[in-house]
Amino acid sequence: MNLRFLPLVALVMAAPAFAQTPSASAPAPAPVATAQPDEGGLTGSVSDEKPWEDLGIAITAFATNVDVPTQASAGSTAALGRAVGQVITADLRNNGLFKPTGPDNLPAPTLPQVTAPDFPTFGSRGAEMLVQGYVRANPDGNLTVGCYLYDVQLRQQLVKGGWVVGPSEWRRAAHKCADLVYSRLSGESPFFDSKIAYIAETGPKDRRMKRLAIMDSDGANHRYITTGQSIALTPRYAPDYKSLVYLSYFNGSPRIYVYDLTTGKQRLITQSRNPTFAPRWSPDGRWILYSMASAGNTDIYRITSAGGGTPERLTNTPGINVGGSYSPDGSKIVFESDRSGSQQIYVMNADGTNQRRVSFFGGRAATPEWSPRGDQIAFTHIVGNLRIAVMNPTGGGLRYLTDSWQDEAPTWSPNGRIVQFFRTEKQSGKTGIWQVDLTGRNERRLPTPVDASDPAWGPVQP
Amino acid sequence: MPVKTELKTTLKAAALLLAGSVALAGCSKKAPADLPPAPAPTTGTETGASTGAPVPGSQADFVATLMGRDTIYFDTDKYDIDAEDQAALGAQAQWLVKYPAKRATIEGHADERGTRDYNIALGERRANAAKNYLVSMGVDPGRLTTVSYGKERPIALGSDEASWARNRRAVTVTID
């Protein structure tokens, strides 16, 4: 997991200091933001703080020392600088916290201005915060991206960061910068530099084609993984993003496969004559939970993700025990069971001991997902309609996040502040991925090339 | 098997009516206003009789013989085999006993008003209930396999109780 991170750090360290601006030290490797004192008092919760919703942030095109061609899809360093600003603006929009503007219609700073901003210009445009930065092409073909956040009124730098990325990963540097700004201003953990696995859907309702697909958290770098010849369902990214686990009807029966994103090969997680479905990773990536039906009963098992191990049965009651989601520390599993007569939510220890029901509020409760912060469980509440709701891990504090005809299968943003899910249209059966704040606000649909379901949000990349 | 007393959907009767079955004796449910559309090719309830008599022992023959009783229907979130289902499965078993070399797959399905994973489990449970009944009627379990499609392959496309009732089903498909 750290393989990717270490060279990044090494390269940042090795990158020449920002020689054009002697007053600035070399940008620190990500994530930063902790060393600086809290002057400005810009901390607080994301939730429900109206004043935050209009915090004006100006994001300029990123400057460059010299405009040279790069291997990046966005083009030369100057073009890249503008594109980086655009990605950051798009990230910071739609969160209900900020009112980002730029980089279009904003003056582009020169390289020296990146560390000595023209505060009056941005202050007169109503910006309270200013994000600037630079892009530089390194001799080895990599790109160095520096990112600076300023408080315009205080005329003060709040935080800075720098990353070295390969040309194909330039958007990641922009997401890292957006994460830096978001974290510094909201006090929350970052989440933009992450990916989503989902199911792309096309075709008529009775013969829907369902393909495994992946994309970045902002919808970029979209890629289909399977052809659609077999139904694919319920993907989950491995915590290290190197593989996906998902359900496929390849060979006619539902079975769980691990798809290796590097080699493009896949394997069954376990040899079984019985259907296996509802796969989930443990937070450390060592285990895969899955459900297996046998003689009409379904129970939850775990197996080592490396393969070759013996499956271990975690539930053993008559009925359907299905799904499962680990607590962030890996010690507990929340899952769904109809052992009491209808779908309800249960918690057990990771070894299957101490199983107890936690949902007691009527209706059916399904697809529980433990928040990465540990303090909430998102799930599908079924009382006629299907709605996304949250509760605390002991079953209290039920709160609805959505109110539609059919919303199901929540997945958490890596920082536990946003819940994604999929919404099905009545009659047509068309699906789309939506997201909503933990506050129930800022509900919006994610743009996808075709219909989409079963979103699974992976962790923030190191 | 416990005899179900609550009302089953009228759509079950519809399917039987559509197939011209006389098995409605003792069934007081009225037919729905609109009859189901022609089935999708994947789920195997076509009559197969349009091109003359099917080959005996073929899937087409099975479908023609069963006249709609290749499919049984379930109540919401249920998988029990009621008297109507027993009659249908009895007819299936009769055919399967007559052609002992034939194998069959029982496809279990759920309606769209449930979560995906649970519906896969529920479809499996329904297919398994049908399989168990066929075995109790003398069909060798080694000839029968089950597969659940959950809510992935509806046969009725509406979002209403009548459509959902037709989608909560187990379909027996013999393998040619």
Side-chain angles (χ1 to χ4, degrees):
Chain A
M1 188 155 36
N2 284 328
L3 290 178
R4 207 167 188 166
F5 178 62
L6 292 174
L8 192 86
V9 174
L11 283 166
V12 170
M13 298 309 188
F18 198 11
Q20 293 80 1
T21 54
S23 62
S25 55
V32 214
T34 49
Q36 306 227 341
D38 256 352
E39 75 275 349
L42 292 167
T43 55
S45 161
V46 182
S47 57
D48 252 350
E49 294 183 24
K50 264 289 184 186
W52 284 93
E53 293 185 9
D54 288 326
L55 186 69
I57 306 180
I59 297 124
T60 68
F62 278 33
T64 185
N65 54 333
V66 50
D67 188 13
V68 293
T70 75
Q71 296 297 309
S73 56
S76 72
T77 48
L80 205 49
R82 181 160 294 273
V84 166
Q86 286 163 345
V87 170
I88 296 166
T89 301
D91 278 352
L92 296 177
R93 192 174 286 141
N94 297 320
N95 292 296
L97 299 179
F98 313 124
K99 197 169 67 184
T101 55
D104 304 326
N105 306 320
L106 283 182
T110 63
L111 190 61
Q113 285 177 326
V114 168
T115 48
D118 179 9
F119 288 118
T121 294
F122 296 101
S124 68
R125 289 166 178 264
E128 290 147 279
M129 298 289 152
L130 171 66
V131 177
Q132 298 192 138
Y134 67 88
V135 175
R136 182 169 52 210
N138 300 330
D140 62 1
N142 286 327
L143 303 163
T144 301
V145 177
C147 165
Y148 297 77
L149 171 65
Y150 298 96
D151 185 314
V152 174
Q153 272 148 27
L154 295 175
R155 302 195 171 200
Q156 209 163 46
Q157 180 183 294
L158 297 181
V159 69
K160 65 185 175 188
W163 305 272
V164 176
V165 292
S168 66
E169 293 200 305
W170 67 269
R171 296 182 70 95
R172 283 199 58 202
H175 292 316
K176 283 292 185 206
C177 181
D179 271 332
L180 191 62
V181 171
Y182 172 86
S183 298
R184 182 61 182 79
L185 295 180
S186 70
E188 299 290 341
S189 302
F191 69 98
F192 294 116
D193 185 24
S194 56
K195 302 188 199 187
I196 294 161
Y198 77 99
I199 296 300
E201 300 194 7
T202 49
K205 192 174 181 180
D206 57 342
R207 278 171 287 120
R208 211 78 168 130
M209 181 187 278
K210 304 206 173 190
R211 304 171 68 180
L212 178 54
I214 56 174
M215 60 185 174
D216 294 350
S217 73
D218 63 349
N221 290 317
H222 184 275
R223 185 179 146 202
Y224 293 111
I225 303 294
T226 62
T227 62
Q229 284 181 311
S230 311
I231 303 172
L233 299 172
T234 59
R236 293 288 190 282
Y237 255 125
D240 64 3
Y241 283 118
K242 287 179 183 162
S243 57
L244 292 155
V245 65
Y246 76 111
L247 169 69
S248 173
Y249 278 77
F250 182 68
N251 282 337
S253 311
R255 295 286 190 277
I256 298 169
Y257 296 85
V258 176
Y259 179 93
D260 186 317
L261 284 157
T262 311
T263 65
K265 290 182 177 158
Q266 65 178 20
R267 62 177 171 85
L268 283 165
I269 58 157
T270 183
Q271 294 291 337
S272 165
R273 292 180 53 80
N274 297 320
T276 55
F277 49 102
R280 315 281 194 264
W281 294 93
S282 66
D284 62 7
R286 287 183 54 219
W287 299 95
I288 293 173
L289 286 182
Y290 66 94
S291 304
M292 185 171 82
S294 179
N297 261 2
T298 295
D299 279 297
I300 298 170
Y301 297 74
R302 73 173 177 186
I303 192 166
T304 55
S305 60
T310 307
E312 193 180 335
R313 185 169 171 167
L314 300 182
T315 64
N316 189 3
T317 64
I320 293 172
N321 300 280
V322 68
S325 170
Y326 280 88
S327 59
D329 66 1
S331 68
K332 293 191 172 63
I333 294 167
V334 63
F335 65 101
E336 167 189 335
S337 173
D338 71 352
R339 65 184 69 171
S340 70
S342 69
Q343 287 167 283
Q344 297 297 338
I345 291 170
Y346 291 70
V347 172
M348 62 182 169
N349 293 335
D351 63 359
T353 58
N354 196 21
Q355 300 185 13
R356 60 196 187 280
R357 178 173 164 180
V358 296
S359 62
F360 289 99
F361 28 67
R364 289 184 280 157
T367 73
E369 288 285 326
W370 215 305
S371 157
R373 294 158 62 109
D375 58 342
Q376 298 275 296
I377 288 166
F379 62 102
T380 308
H381 196 219
I382 308 172
V383 186
N385 288 346
L386 281 71
R387 301 170 69 181
I388 304 300
V390 291
M391 62 180 175
N392 65 44
T394 52
L398 170 69
R399 213 153 46 79
Y400 290 106
L401 301 186
T402 72
D403 186 9
S404 190
W405 183 70
Q406 182 143 329
D407 295 340
E408 64 187 288
T411 181
W412 290 93
S413 65
N415 67 352
R417 299 304 311 190
I418 298 169
V419 173
Q420 269 180 9
F421 56 94
F422 78 94
R423 174 168 293 173
T424 306
E425 275 178 21
K426 200 171 178 177
Q427 301 297 345
S428 74
K430 291 174 72 65
T431 52
I433 298 176
W434 291 66
Q435 69 179 40
V436 63
D437 284 358
L438 192 48
T439 61
R441 294 183 179 201
N442 300 304
E443 182 181 284
R444 70 182 177 101
R445 182 176 182 160
L446 263 70
T448 46
V450 297
D451 288 357
S453 65
D454 286 355
W457 207 329
V460 165
Q461 302 188 76
Chain B
M1 287 290 167
V3 177
K4 188 183 307 177
T5 52
E6 63 189 288
L7 270 185
K8 252 196 171 178
T9 170
T10 55
L11 262 294
K12 172 180 290 187
L16 294 168
L17 274 177
L18 183 66
S21 169
V22 293
L24 286 170
C27 178
S28 62
K29 301 153 197 161
K30 65 182 194 309
D34 54 329
L35 289 175
T42 48
T43 325
T45 46
E46 61 271 345
T47 61
S50 54
T51 55
V55 179
S58 66
Q59 164 66 8
D61 178 47
F62 178 74
V63 169
T65 305
L66 271 294
M67 294 187 296
R69 287 177 297 169
D70 60 344
T71 303
I72 61 173
Y73 299 91
F74 300 89
D75 283 340
T76 299
D77 208 13
K78 295 286 196 276
Y79 61 104
D80 51 303
I81 304 293
D82 68 6
E84 236 168 75
D85 301 331
Q86 288 176 15
L89 291 167
Q92 292 179 22
Q94 223 170 25
W95 191 95
L96 287 166
V97 166
K98 187 174 170 187
Y99 300 103
K102 294 290 290 187
R103 293 183 300 114
T105 297
I106 303 155
E107 303 173 349
H109 299 268
D111 67 38
E112 65 183 346
R113 288 299 258 173
T115 44
R116 196 179 312 285
D117 291 334
Y118 183 81
N119 277 359
I120 291 172
L122 181 58
E124 182 67 25
R125 196 185 233 176
R126 287 172 174 163
N128 191 70
K131 175 184 171 181
N132 285 347
Y133 193 82
L134 290 174
V135 169
S136 78
M137 298 294 286
V139 180
D140 178 359
R143 297 168 58 197
L144 302 174
T145 56
T146 58
V147 61
S148 173
Y149 288 100
K151 60 175 171 178
E152 307 306 317
R153 287 289 178 264
I155 193 164
L157 303 186
S159 291
D160 48 68
E161 183 46 49
S163 298
W164 298 329
R166 292 186 55 220
N167 290 331
R168 295 188 295 262
R169 68 200 194 279
V171 186
T172 303
V173 182
T174 66
I175 300 163
D176 283 332

